[in-house]
Amino acid sequence: MAGQQFQYDDSGNTFFYFLTSFVGLIVIPATYYLWPRDQNAEQLRLKSLRRVHGRCLWYRLRLMKSQQSIVPTLKKVALLFGWAVFLLLAYKVSKLDRDYQEYNPYEVLSLEPGATVQAIKKQYHLLSLKYHPDKGGDDVMFMRIAKAYAALTNEQSRQNWELYGNPDGPSATSFGIALPAWIVDQKNSMLVLLVYGLAFMVILPVVVGTWWYRSIRYSGDQILISTTQLFMHFIYKTPNMNMKRLTMVLTAACEFDPRSNKDATIRPTDNVEVPQLIRELGNINVKKKEPPFCYPYSFKARVLVLSHLARMEVSENLEEDQRFVVRKSPALLQEMINVGCQLTMMANSRGGFPAPRLVTIENCMKLTQMIVQGLQETKSPLLQLPHFEEEHLRYCISKKYKVRTLQDLVSLKDSDRRSMLRFLGEEKYDEVMAVLGSFPHITMGIKLQVLDDEDSSNITAGSIVTVTVTLTRKRMADMFEKEQEASICQGEETANTEEANQGDTNKAKTKVWQSKNKGAKKTAKSKKKKLTKKKALPAPVKGKQANGNVAGNEMAVTTSAAASAAKDEDDEASDKGSESDEGETNKDSPSERDDESDKQSDTEVDEGGGDDEEEWEALQQSIQRRERALLETKSKVTHPVYSLYFPEEKQEWWWLYIADRRDQTLVSMPYHVCTLKDSEEVELKFPAPSKAGNYQYSVILRSDSYMGLDQFKPLKLEVHEAKAMVDNHPQWDIPDTEEEDEEQEDSDGIEESDDEDEDNN
């Protein structure tokens, strides 16, 4: 009976196969994921951004990091070492001899396959004389010869060899374990047991437990759960939060507490440098005793944020801490917006507490813009541009130019812009224009509808309204090009008008009597025009309205001549109208009119069918678009933001939402648009008001990076009463006669089948 036999590899050859496979499973994926990407591509990307972003803080830090970092070199060395070990093991395995060889009795007897029985007996006789033990031969070799002779001459042995590869029949299956024998040696048992216990009972549980307890402290956006709870407490406590209070809540986040985050630090020098910054700022409530605003970490973070907004210089020690706080702030403010939206939904669904005001959520968005650009709320958005200082703004806001926003600066003519920015040199002016041209220009297209309804344009009380907003991003440089094209077209038009004016002046140089006659003709024409104006007074017209009521308009006429003239004109028009009506009635017979009405009804049906097909195709396209949006994952890398004082490369993202600015409430939750590269389509859904009437909302688009680029579009909502539920519909009513007819048909069918059976019998 065949069995299984396990044995360790004493020679160690099988262990090399295992080791080669193990190293290959580590080296190949590690090379794919950890090999440093093409450094030249990153350098080329930074080089292409240098003209616009060369003065940005994040750009300079990125260049320094790429020059000083040795991590890519260490990764390459480690991976190359792994590949060297893998190739060495593969070469070692290729040189190993195979222990297992297939048994072939013809090779043992040194015969060609298919030899005859006589040749086999003759060869066996010769070899037995040579290797027989009684004649001084090899015992093992003689046993192999005898076994091979039996396998080729004995019928049973031959069948065993053909079936099992062994003349003796099935043998025990041998499995080699790819571990050296010294591991299971009794002398090394304690050492092996100690290593196994240390690896699987100490190191593995500690690593898994450390990872688990660290991960449960963070949310899906890598924000501490304690920070989210803190934001929820203060937004619930103060639904209407101004900018000062919002800054205090932001800087109280646990990310800035060294007890919760090891990256946050409290230095001994803070006791000297932070009070100095407080004296320079002068607008900090030092005596605030409300926790956690009075804690040292919160106090320090607030001072660093305010000094960043004021664009103040700080010491080297505080500069590193300031970059850490500023880098974390946009993500924390986004978490605060999410918390505000959650509280708003809870207040609308459950009630019992006031929902956060719209100003609180919008202040979070504004503070994000301010931190990215390093500007205070009251400062001009023009200070986002390079080489612009406070003293330069007086040239822009003068009465001649009145430039207060970026859009005003773009809309200026190039000549006026150059004269206004004459304090800049030619190089600085070109740099300012390049930066301004890289700023985004967004156009919004809004479509309002009620999906899954027969009449998608009819908004009823309580229905789910879908607002589809199409965002298209262009650069401000495109606006410059349009302006130049418009100026060229205007120049051509002015040239054409000047030529035409010159031609008119040449024609006007005529003789004196001709000009006098023309003047007399002009006066005659003007008199005729006055008379026709008097005659053109509207006469009273009576017509029947759509609802069947007779409507008439009466006009008071001052002169009898004008009244008689109007009367004559009305009589003539009525005569012409009656004649035309008679002609039409004579032409069209009743049958012809019926045919025309049938044709009109057919065309109306065709038009209705076409509209239904268009609506169906639009619905199918929208469903397919949603499915594609769910399946595909778009990159969040859109366009780098121009920010002079932000320490990290920031991508250009937006918030889109609908709000009722009169009641200061959110209508739809803010949607964070993170994939707007060229164009993006966003659907905002909200329930229509429960009462019928007209409502005025606003579709708001806010940038999370730039100040002064927010857009507001009005959204008018006309809500109608909901249709009453139909209890009894004609298609649901089945008359009794129909049921009786169906029963009668069933009974007739049964009788007919019985008759057919009898006939067949």
Side-chain angles (χ1 to χ4, degrees):
M1 197 65 191
Q4 294 179 351
Q5 181 181 359
F6 293 91
Q7 60 182 1
Y8 287 93
D9 183 19
D10 295 331
S11 62
N13 293 339
T14 316
F15 180 68
F16 281 106
Y17 286 97
F18 166 74
L19 196 61
T20 305
S21 304
F22 183 75
V23 173
L25 288 174
I26 294 176
V27 169
I28 295 173
T31 305
Y32 179 77
Y33 288 106
L34 300 179
W35 184 265
R37 302 304 176 196
D38 191 4
Q39 297 294 321
N40 295 328
E42 180 65 15
Q43 293 294 333
L44 290 173
R45 189 182 79 88
L46 292 176
K47 189 175 181 180
S48 64
L49 297 174
R50 183 176 181 180
R51 181 170 179 264
V52 176
H53 300 272
R55 293 184 177 274
C56 296
L57 176 61
W58 68 264
Y59 185 86
R60 290 184 273 118
L61 293 176
R62 179 68 63 85
L63 284 180
M64 293 171 58
K65 185 178 179 180
S66 61
Q67 293 173 359
Q68 297 176 358
S69 179
I70 61 170
V71 175
T73 305
L74 293 177
K75 286 182 179 180
K76 287 182 178 180
V77 170
L79 291 173
L80 289 174
F81 176 75
W83 275 101
V85 172
F86 177 71
L87 294 176
L88 181 63
L89 290 172
Y91 177 75
K92 178 72 176 174
V93 168
S94 66
K95 294 297 181 181
L96 293 176
D97 294 331
R98 294 180 62 186
D99 293 335
Y100 173 74
Q101 293 181 356
E102 186 179 359
Y103 180 74
N104 190 352
Y106 290 104
E107 291 182 0
V108 175
L109 295 176
S110 301
L111 291 172
E112 294 293 331
T116 62
V117 178
Q118 293 179 354
I120 293 171
K121 290 180 179 180
K122 183 178 179 181
Q123 185 68 13
Y124 171 71
H125 181 69
L126 293 174
L127 293 175
S128 62
L129 293 175
K130 184 178 179 181
Y131 293 104
H132 199 280
D134 296 341
K135 296 183 180 181
D138 189 2
D139 296 341
V140 177
M141 189 62 189
F142 182 75
M143 292 296 295
R144 293 182 63 191
I145 292 169
K147 187 177 180 180
Y149 175 73
L152 295 176
T153 55
N154 190 358
E155 188 65 27
Q156 184 65 34
S157 300
R158 190 181 185 89
Q159 287 180 0
N160 290 335
W161 174 63
E162 291 177 353
L163 292 174
Y164 306 109
N166 190 2
D168 297 333
S171 60
T173 305
S174 178
F175 294 94
I177 299 177
L179 292 175
W182 60 266
I183 291 181
V184 293
D185 194 356
Q186 189 175 2
K187 298 177 182 179
N188 304 326
S189 60
M190 292 300 296
L191 179 61
V192 173
L193 185 63
L194 181 63
V195 171
Y196 270 88
L198 186 65
F200 293 101
M201 300 181 66
V202 178
I203 297 176
L204 185 61
V206 167
V207 170
V208 174
T210 304
W211 168 80
W212 173 252
Y213 285 110
R214 283 184 181 177
S215 61
I216 61 174
R217 296 171 58 234
Y218 291 89
S219 64
D221 298 327
Q222 296 301 310
I223 303 295
L224 287 170
I225 301 294
S226 54
T227 299
T228 305
Q229 294 172 351
L230 183 139
F231 288 165
M232 185 167 290
H233 168 73
F234 282 106
I235 294 177
Y236 174 82
K237 185 178 178 181
T238 54
N240 194 0
M241 197 177 294
N242 58 15
M243 193 66 73
K244 187 175 181 181
R245 176 80 173 179
L246 185 65
T247 308
M248 295 172 68
V249 174
L250 170 66
T251 53
C254 298
E255 271 75 5
F256 306 137
D257 189 356
R259 296 172 296 178
S260 302
N261 190 1
K262 293 181 179 180
D263 295 333
T265 55
I266 297 292
R267 306 175 190 274
T269 56
D270 294 343
N271 297 326
V272 179
E273 296 175 346
V274 172
Q276 184 178 357
L277 280 176
I278 292 172
R279 287 192 294 270
E280 294 179 4
L281 289 169
N283 291 327
I284 298 179
N285 191 1
V286 183
K287 298 181 180 180
K288 190 74 173 177
K289 299 300 181 183
E290 183 182 3
F293 305 139
C294 59
Y295 293 164
Y297 81 89
S298 175
F299 199 70
K300 177 184 177 182
R302 189 172 8 159
V303 170
L304 293 177
V305 168
L306 293 176
S307 61
H308 169 72
L309 296 180
R311 295 187 175 183
M312 294 171 55
E313 293 184 0
V314 295
S315 62
E316 293 182 0
N317 293 331
L318 289 179
E319 187 177 9
E320 184 178 353
D321 299 339
Q322 187 184 52
R323 290 174 183 172
F324 168 74
V325 172
V326 170
R327 195 182 297 114
K328 285 281 184 182
S329 294
L332 294 173
L333 287 167
Q334 177 61 36
E335 183 68 15
M336 202 178 296
I337 293 171
N338 295 338
V339 169
C341 295
Q342 293 173 10
L343 289 174
T344 302
M345 290 188 290
M346 290 170 61
N348 293 337
S349 60
R350 300 180 187 177
F353 63 93
R357 304 289 289 173
L358 179 63
V359 67
T360 302
I361 297 174
E362 288 186 340
N363 281 339
C364 294
M365 300 177 183
K366 291 178 183 177
L367 186 57
T368 307
Q369 300 172 359
M370 293 159 53
I371 289 176
V372 171
Q373 293 298 331
L375 275 178
Q376 295 174 348
E377 185 180 11
T378 57
K379 297 297 182 180
S380 172
L382 297 174
L383 295 176
Q384 299 173 105
L385 299 173
H387 310 298
F388 266 80
E389 301 295 340
E390 288 282 349
E391 59 269 14
H392 299 149
L393 295 178
R394 59 189 179 89
Y395 298 105
C396 303
I397 61 176
S398 61
K399 293 182 179 179
K400 183 178 180 181
Y401 301 108
K402 296 180 182 180
V403 174
R404 298 182 181 274
T405 63
L406 297 171
Q407 290 83 354
D408 296 340
L409 184 59
V410 172
S411 61
L412 276 180
K413 294 181 180 179
D414 186 58
S415 57
D416 295 339
R417 195 185 301 118
R418 285 183 179 275
S419 70
M420 184 186 72
L421 302 178
R422 58 185 178 276
F423 57 88
L424 299 173
E426 190 67 25
E427 294 182 0
K428 291 183 178 180
Y429 177 81
D430 293 340
E431 184 180 351
V432 168
M433 289 297 101
V435 171
L436 184 61
S438 68
F439 278 30
H441 176 71
I442 308 295
T443 55
M444 284 199 301
I446 300 173
K447 183 181 179 182
L448 186 69
Q449 58 184 345
V450 179
L451 298 177
D452 302 330
D453 199 354
E454 294 179 357
D455 189 2
S456 60
S457 60
N458 185 24
I459 301 173
T460 57
S463 60
I464 302 300
V465 183
T466 302
V467 179
T468 305
V469 183
T470 305
L471 303 175
T472 305
R473 185 200 184 275
K474 295 182 179 179
R475 300 185 308 136
M476 290 285 189
D478 299 335
M479 306 301 294
F480 293 151
E481 293 175 0
K482 289 181 180 178
E483 178 191 348
Q484 291 176 359
E485 292 175 358
S487 62
I488 292 170
C489 293
Q490 287 179 359
E492 292 177 355
E493 288 178 0
T494 52
N496 293 332
T497 52
E498 286 177 358
E499 290 177 358
N501 292 332
Q502 288 178 0
D504 293 339
T505 53
N506 293 331
K507 289 179 181 178
K509 292 179 180 179
T510 55
K511 296 181 180 180
V512 179
W513 61 84
Q514 292 178 351
S515 63
K516 285 182 180 180
N517 293 334
K518 285 182 180 178
K521 288 181 181 179
K522 285 182 181 178
T523 53
K525 285 182 181 180
S526 63
K527 288 180 181 179
K528 287 182 180 179
K529 284 182 181 179
K530 289 179 181 179
L531 290 173
T532 53
K533 284 181 181 178
K534 287 181 180 180
K535 288 182 180 180
L537 291 171
V541 180
K542 292 182 180 180
K544 205 166 188 178
Q545 294 179 349
N547 55 3
N549 298 327
V550 178
N553 295 326
E554 297 180 357
M555 303 261 324
V557 183
T558 55
T559 58
S560 59
S564 61
K567 201 167 186 180
D568 295 337
E569 289 178 359
D570 290 340
D571 294 338
E572 291 175 359
S574 62
D575 295 338
K576 290 180 182 178
S578 62
E579 289 175 1
S580 62
D581 293 338
E582 289 175 359
E584 288 177 357
T585 52
N586 293 329
K587 287 179 182 178
D588 296 337
S589 63
S591 60
E592 291 177 353
R593 280 180 288 181
D594 292 339
D595 295 339
E596 288 180 359
S597 62
D598 293 338
K599 290 179 181 179
Q600 289 177 359
S601 62
D602 293 338
T603 54
E604 288 175 357
V605 169
D606 295 338
E607 289 176 358
D611 294 339
D612 293 339
E613 290 178 358
E614 290 178 358
E615 290 179 1
W616 175 253
E617 290 178 359
L619 180 62
Q620 293 298 321
Q621 289 176 1
S622 64
I623 293 172
Q624 292 175 2
R625 190 165 53 249
R626 287 179 209 158
E627 291 177 352
R628 286 196 300 269
L630 289 173
L631 294 175
E632 66 180 358
T633 55
K634 293 184 179 180
S635 174
K636 292 188 176 182
V637 178
T638 55
H639 300 275
V641 174
Y642 183 84
S643 53
L644 289 169
Y645 296 93
F646 197 71
E648 191 177 39
E649 184 178 2
K650 172 98 174 51
Q651 297 300 318
E652 191 181 287
W653 295 344
W654 304 82
W655 286 294
L656 183 66
Y657 58 98
I658 302 173
D660 187 351
R661 303 194 66 82
R662 189 184 67 177
D663 295 339
Q664 284 292 304
T665 55
L666 277 174
V667 177
S668 72
M669 297 301 108
Y671 182 84
H672 205 190
V673 184
C674 303
T675 56
L676 178 58
K677 203 166 186 179
D678 296 320
S679 63
E680 187 79 13
E681 192 173 272
V682 181
E683 288 186 353
L684 302 176
K685 297 185 178 182
F686 63 93
S690 57
K691 294 182 181 180
N694 294 326
Y695 296 86
Q696 186 73 29
Y697 295 149
S698 298
V699 180
I700 304 172
L701 179 71
R702 287 190 184 273
S703 172
D704 72 340
S705 307
Y706 294 105
M707 297 176 64
L709 296 183
D710 303 337
Q711 293 191 24
F712 302 83
K713 287 289 184 71
L715 181 67
K716 294 180 181 179
L717 207 67
E718 186 178 354
V719 181
H720 303 281
E721 290 289 345
K723 296 179 180 179
M725 293 293 293
V726 179
D727 295 334
N728 295 321
H729 197 272
Q731 68 181 8
W732 302 338
D733 297 336
I734 301 175
D736 297 335
T737 56
E738 291 184 3
E739 293 180 355
E740 293 175 357
D741 294 341
E742 290 177 358
E743 292 177 357
Q744 185 66 29
E745 289 176 359
D746 295 338
S747 62
D748 294 341
I750 293 170
E751 291 176 357
E752 289 176 359
S753 63
D754 294 338
D755 296 338
E756 289 176 358
D757 293 337
E758 290 177 358
D759 295 337
N760 294 328
N761 293 328

